[in-house]
Each structure stands twice: as C-alpha cells, then as structure tokens.
C-alpha cells in the first residue's frame, strides 16, 4: 500500500475515477442477485434497491476501514489537519469514487429531482474529499468523517427492509434500535467532533471558513433526518402519519453518508 501511495498522489483525479468505475462494476454484479417480490414489481423500488446495495457495500468497506485506520494510527483522530497514512489516503480515494458513481447513478437514471438532498450531500462531501486528496491536508478529518458509514449500514438496511415491506419483521425492530445507537455514537458524534475541532482551530486552518460552513450544513441535514427517523420509528402519531412516512417517501429522504 505504501508503494501505491505516490501513484495515487500524482493522479488523484484519475484514481477517484478508477474507484468510481470499480463501484459501477459492483453495481452491475449486484444486479444478478435476487430481490424481494415487493421490490421487483415496482421500477422505483427496483432502482432504489440496486442503489442501496452499492451503498451498503461502500458503507461496510469504508466504515470498517476508517475505524481500522484510527485504531492503528490514533494520531488520525487528533492531528486532523496534516497527518495521514497510506491506507487513510487510499480510503478517501475509494470513498470519493463511490460518491462520484452514486451521483452519476442518481442523475443518469432520472432521479435527480427526487434525490436532490443526496446530491447536495455528495457535492459537499466530494469538495472536501477532493481538496484533501489534492492538498494532502485534512485527510485524517475525512477518515474521521467516514465513521458515519458505520451508521449508514443500519440506515441502508432500514430502507431496504422498508422497500421489501418488512417493517413488522423482527429484523426491522432490532435494526431500528441498532440504528438509533449507531446514529448517535458514530454519525452525530463524528460530525460534532469535527465541528468542534474546526471551531477551536479556525484561526489558523486552511479554508477554515468553507469547512465550517460545510459542517454546519451537514449538521443541519443530519439533525433533520434524525428528527424524521425518531418520529417515524419511535413516535408514529397515527396510521395516516405512518403511511405518509412509509417506504416510497422515506427512500427519497436524504442520508448523511
């Protein structure tokens, strides 16, 4: 991996495009897997299932990778500005490739209008990640940001179960509590830690203003979704309200990945 680092650093843009292509190949391969009947009969659900399947692969890979990077090199969690390792840099290349692929999938399949919140999220993430790849700064911060992918695993599973009309299944009931736990521990904590770091070190940080604005927007998004999540899974007000927050609407809501 150390030997590959100079190549990635010389050609970060091309590296991201190669990673995007790899996720597109994964998208194609995952289409060969069987899908639930409730998904197969609806075009939107079928597309969303395929899209979430790739997202699940990304979350499982990058969430585990990010945590492993920090465990092996704890300085990644404290020296967010300038410290990085070869595995950390490669992780950001791979994750950036996923967001490029996912944005392309949303736009090219004609779902941009219904998924505009996802696209805004992807643009914000890509700007930060690409800046890190080209400047070699804040790579550690990007790694910490990818802790949210641990929560994305349970978020994606939640939506896939809703797509399959399995809201009453034991797996859904167990997952909703795991989802709440990981949302707080991995998503909210990671976002707020990065925000705190930026505020504390704003005076000397490169592009501090942009990163602070970006984190503020991201924090707003994840808090809104957290409210929606709690309301839908733990405080449904009525049957009509539950239907309003059902599969077809929820799959179009944004996720902070």
């Amino acid at each position: 991996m150390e030997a590959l680092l100079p190549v990635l650093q010389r050609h970060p843009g091309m590296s991201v495009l190669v990673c995007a292509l790899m996720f597109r190949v994964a998208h194609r391969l995952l289409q060969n897997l069987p899908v639930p009947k409730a998904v197969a009969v609806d075009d939107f659900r079928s597309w969303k299932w395929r899209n979430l399947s790739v997202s699940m692969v990304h979350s499982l890979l990058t969430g585990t990778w990010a945590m492993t990077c920090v465990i092996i090199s704890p300085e990644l969690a404290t020296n967010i500005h300038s410290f990085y390792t070869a595995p950390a840099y490669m992780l950001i290349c791979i994750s950036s490739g996923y967001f490029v692929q996912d944005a392309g999938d949303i736009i090219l399949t004609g779902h941009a209008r219904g998924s505009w919140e996802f696209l805004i999220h992807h643009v914000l993430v890509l700007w930060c990640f690409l800046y890190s790849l080209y400047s070699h700064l804040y790579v550690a911060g990007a790694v910490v940001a990818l802790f949210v992918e641990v929560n994305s695993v349970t978020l994606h599973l939640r939506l896939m179960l809703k797509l399959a009309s399995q809201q009453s299944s034991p797996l859904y009931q167990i997952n909703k509590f795991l989802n709440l736990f990981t949302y707080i521990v991995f998503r909210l904590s990671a976002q707020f830690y990065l925000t705190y770091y930026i505020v504390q070190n704003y005076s000397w940080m490169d592009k501090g203003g942009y990163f602070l604005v970006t984190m503020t927007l991201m924090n707003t998004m994840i808090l809104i979704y957290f409210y929606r999540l709690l309301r839908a899974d733990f405080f449904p007000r009525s049957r009509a309200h539950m239907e309003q927050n059902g599969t077809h609407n929820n799959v179009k809501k944004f996720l902070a990945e």
Side-chain angles (χ1 to χ4, degrees):
M1 196 169 291
E2 293 287 346
L4 187 59
L5 180 60
V7 178
L8 297 177
Q9 290 179 322
R10 283 197 300 270
H11 309 286
M14 184 59 66
S15 301
V16 170
L17 291 177
V18 170
C19 292
L21 180 61
M22 291 170 59
F23 277 105
R24 195 61 192 172
V25 171
H27 182 278
R28 289 285 185 180
L29 294 175
L30 289 169
Q31 290 185 30
N32 297 322
L33 297 178
V35 300
K37 290 182 179 179
V39 173
V41 298
D42 183 87
D43 289 341
F44 177 78
R45 291 191 183 200
S46 296
W47 169 78
K48 193 62 184 179
W49 183 275
R50 294 193 300 271
N51 181 269
L52 285 171
S53 297
V54 180
S55 298
M56 180 69 85
V57 171
H58 169 258
S59 296
L60 288 168
L61 174 64
T62 59
T64 304
W65 194 330
M67 292 184 63
T68 302
C69 283
V70 173
I71 291 171
I72 294 174
S73 304
E75 192 176 350
L76 286 168
T78 56
N79 188 358
I80 287 175
H81 177 259
S82 56
F83 181 77
Y84 67 94
T85 62
Y89 191 91
M90 184 177 293
L91 169 62
I92 306 311
C93 284
I94 291 172
S95 190
S96 297
Y98 160 75
F99 287 113
V100 170
Q101 187 280 147
D102 195 55
D105 184 51
I106 291 171
I107 294 170
L108 296 177
T109 54
H111 293 96
R113 177 176 295 182
S115 304
W116 62 269
E117 292 163 311
F118 287 99
L119 292 177
I120 291 176
H121 167 266
H122 289 5
V123 168
L124 293 173
V125 171
L126 279 171
W127 168 261
C128 295
F129 281 15
L130 290 175
Y131 179 83
S132 295
L133 292 176
Y134 277 96
S135 69
H136 306 162
L137 298 174
Y138 305 112
V139 175
V143 171
V144 173
L146 284 172
F147 273 37
V148 304
E149 294 302 330
V150 177
N151 168 247
S152 292
V153 173
T154 55
L155 275 177
H156 297 330
L157 179 58
R158 173 183 180 270
L159 287 181
M160 293 178 84
L161 289 170
K162 290 176 78 70
L163 285 170
S165 300
Q166 294 296 311
Q167 293 95 318
S168 300
S169 68
L171 179 57
Y172 186 92
Q173 299 305 314
I174 294 171
N175 183 72
K176 75 177 185 180
F177 288 102
L178 286 174
N179 190 34
L180 179 63
F181 174 77
T182 58
Y183 205 105
I184 295 171
V185 173
F186 292 98
R187 187 173 296 274
L188 292 177
S189 296
Q191 290 286 132
F192 293 158
Y193 172 71
L194 290 173
T195 304
Y196 172 79
Y197 182 93
I198 294 171
V199 171
Q200 288 294 106
N201 300 280
Y202 179 81
S203 60
W204 58 267
M205 288 179 63
D206 300 277
K207 307 294 183 183
Y210 173 77
F211 284 108
L212 183 59
V213 170
T214 300
M215 291 305 298
T216 300
L217 291 173
M218 297 282 283
N219 291 342
T220 302
M221 293 170 71
I222 66 170
L223 287 173
I224 291 172
Y225 191 77
F226 189 52
Y227 167 72
R228 291 174 178 171
L229 191 66
L230 290 174
R231 191 180 64 180
D233 276 357
F234 295 97
F235 304 104
R237 291 175 295 190
S238 65
R239 182 176 180 86
H241 174 79
M242 291 175 67
E243 291 175 354
Q244 181 181 353
N245 287 276
T247 300
H248 202 73
N249 282 334
N250 263 321
V251 294
K252 295 183 179 182
K253 300 298 183 183
F254 65 85
L255 297 174
E257 318 172 342

